[in-house]
Amino acid sequence: AMHDPPCVVICVCRAGHRNGGKKDTMANIDATKEFTVSVLSEWFLEQANHTCGNYDEDVDEMALSGLTKEPSLKVKPPRVKESAVHMECKLKHKYETKGYNGEDTATIVVGEIVMASVLGGAMAMAWKTFHWNTRSHIADVYAGRVKGQ
C-alpha cells in the first residue's frame, strides 16, 4: 500500500502554566506551518523529557537540555542532531481536542513528511529487524525519498 502523501501525527498538549494557552511547539507550528519529529534513542530520554517542561516563551529548551540543534534539509525548524530518525514535515491538518469541561486541551497535528533520514546504526538494525519486503521502503526513507512499498 502507498501513503500519498506520507504523513505523521503528533499531539501537542496545552500549556498549563499559561492558563491553557499554546505551548511553544504549537505556536511555532502555527507560525511556520512546518515542524520536525525527532526519534531519540533511550539514552537521550532524560534530555528529551527536559524539553517538554513548562518554560516561559523566551527560554530555549533545547539549549537547557544539552541536545544539539541541526539545520533541516527541507524545512526551516531545526532537527535534533542526536536523533536516530528525523522527519521534516509541513502542516497538513490540525484538530483541537476538548476536555470534559469543553475547553481545548490539546491539538492533533497531521504533518506531511517531506524528508526523512535514519542514522547508519539505526539503519543497520532496521535491515536485521524488518521483514524483507519493507527493505526497499527503509532504503528510500534513508535516501530522502519517502514513498510506500
Side-chain angles (χ1 to χ4, degrees), residues 31-86:
T32 65
K33 307 296 187 238
E34 298 178 334
F35 61 98
T36 60
V37 175
S38 298
V39 180
L40 288 149
S41 298
E42 187 175 354
W43 50 87
F44 292 109
L45 186 60
E46 187 175 331
Q47 290 96 324
N49 282 335
H50 196 72
T51 65
C52 299
N54 290 325
Y55 301 104
D56 291 331
E57 294 176 28
D58 61 340
V59 174
D60 184 345
E61 298 96 311
M62 284 273 284
L64 290 177
S65 73
L67 295 171
T68 311
K69 291 180 184 178
E70 177 177 66
S72 295
L73 302 174
K74 300 279 187 179
V75 298
K76 291 178 184 156
R79 319 184 295 188
V80 178
K81 183 177 183 178
E82 293 82 2
S83 297
V85 177
H86 304 107

Side-chain angles (χ1 to χ4, degrees), residues 67-132:
L67 295 171
T68 311
K69 291 180 184 178
E70 177 177 66
S72 295
L73 302 174
K74 300 279 187 179
V75 298
K76 291 178 184 156
R79 319 184 295 188
V80 178
K81 183 177 183 178
E82 293 82 2
S83 297
V85 177
H86 304 107
M87 289 178 269
E88 300 179 23
C89 307
K90 294 196 179 273
L91 177 64
K92 188 130 179 91
H93 302 286
K94 66 178 188 168
Y95 306 94
E96 300 300 326
T97 61
K98 301 205 178 293
Y100 294 118
N101 64 2
E103 294 180 15
D104 292 341
T105 57
T107 306
I108 297 170
V109 178
V110 180
E112 178 180 349
I113 303 168
V114 296
M115 173 61 97
S117 57
V118 181
L119 286 181
M123 189 64 176
M125 288 176 60
W127 283 108
K128 294 176 185 174
T129 305
F130 288 100
H131 190 269
W132 69 270

Side-chain angles (χ1 to χ4, degrees), residues 1-4 137 147-149:
M2 185 170 167
H3 301 281
D4 183 16
H137 175 69
K147 66 178 189 178
Q149 298 176 22

